[in-house]
Amino acid sequence: MGPTIRRIYASLLGILIAVVTLAGLWIAPATGAAGRLWLLLAGIVVILAVAAYALLAPLARRLRVLEETATRMASGEVSARADVEYHDDLGGLARSLNEIAERTERERSALERGRDESAAALNYLPQGVALIAPDLTIRHANARFWESVEVEAPLRGAHLSAARQPALQEAVEDARRAGRAVTREVALYLSERLDVEATVAPVGNGATPEAWLLTIED
């Protein structure tokens, strides 16, 4: 049993014992058979206590399952589903949890589809493109970007310095200081010097950009 059900059970048991005790104190003096009466009342308390436990145990189990399902969903497991066994209030809560999980799963799938489509579109661009976070980590870069700097694409979340071209980092920092888009002619030092045009534009409508879009073009 969970703590809530235990409290309910303890409260019911306390009320039951109090009622039976008062009834015994009232009836015993009138009957003169106090011993047998108290044994009978004790038996009634035990029977009712067992019956109350038998009724509350399934409720406790269902509540525990709902709690576990909600915890799994909160941790990001959108495939979690609660069993709908009965058409009562708890069954309605289970259906609501399942509807939330299904809607979240659909939205996540749509976001992942959109992300994959955007990544595919960026990879077809002739320019090198990288989305730079405010801390200068690379959120995403297309294949052309890494080809332009002649570096094998690192793991997601690498710092812009992984491109090994300080001029690109300086262009992004210039845009951050200016708070607007800037375009610079920069030299990339690869197997041979390559002069390119680097454009850095803010992403987002707020006063503080959410990210910066770095574009490299010959």
Side-chain angles (χ1 to χ4, degrees):
M1 280 190 184
T4 301
I5 298 298
R6 281 199 298 269
R7 285 195 296 270
I8 294 173
Y9 181 71
S11 300
L12 288 175
L13 190 58
I15 293 171
L16 179 61
I17 292 173
V19 169
V20 171
T21 301
L22 291 174
L25 292 174
W26 180 61
I27 296 173
T31 62
R36 288 193 301 274
L37 176 63
W38 284 114
L39 285 175
L40 175 63
L41 292 177
I44 293 173
V45 168
V46 171
I47 292 171
L48 292 178
V50 171
Y53 184 88
L55 290 173
L56 289 174
L59 178 62
R61 182 185 61 80
R62 294 174 64 195
L63 285 173
R64 185 172 63 253
V65 170
L66 287 175
E67 181 182 4
E68 291 173 354
T69 302
T71 301
R72 289 165 59 195
M73 290 171 56
S75 66
E77 188 181 341
V78 294
S79 61
R81 296 292 185 274
D83 293 332
V84 182
E85 300 177 353
Y86 303 95
H87 297 286
D88 55 7
D89 290 343
L90 287 182
L93 180 57
R95 284 191 294 273
S96 297
L97 279 176
N98 291 343
E99 289 171 3
I100 292 171
E102 288 168 3
R103 184 165 59 249
T104 303
E105 192 168 20
R106 286 195 301 270
E107 291 173 354
R108 174 178 288 185
S109 296
L111 287 172
E112 290 176 349
R113 246 187 343 265
R115 181 198 62 197
D116 293 342
E117 290 170 357
S118 298
L122 284 176
N123 284 331
Y124 279 104
L125 292 175
Q127 300 91 356
V129 179
L131 185 64
I132 311 298
D135 62 355
L136 298 187
T137 56
I138 302 173
R139 291 183 180 172
H140 180 77
N142 65 357
R144 179 60 181 159
F145 176 84
W146 297 113
E147 291 170 4
S148 298
V149 296
E150 294 184 355
V151 172
E152 184 177 351
L155 295 175
R156 184 182 177 90
H159 193 268
L160 181 56
S161 58
R164 294 186 289 193
Q165 297 296 331
L168 296 179
Q169 188 167 329
E170 290 172 6
V172 174
E173 290 172 345
D174 286 347
R176 290 178 62 197
R177 283 192 293 268
R180 56 179 176 80
V182 299
T183 299
R184 297 281 188 274
E185 289 187 4
V186 300
L188 302 182
Y189 291 93
L190 310 169
S191 51
E192 59 182 20
R193 173 177 169 144
L194 177 65
D195 293 320
V196 299
E197 185 177 80
T199 300
V200 185
V203 176
N205 298 322
T208 303
E210 300 172 4
W212 297 87
L213 189 66
L214 168 61
T215 305
I216 304 172
E217 190 168 6
D218 292 344

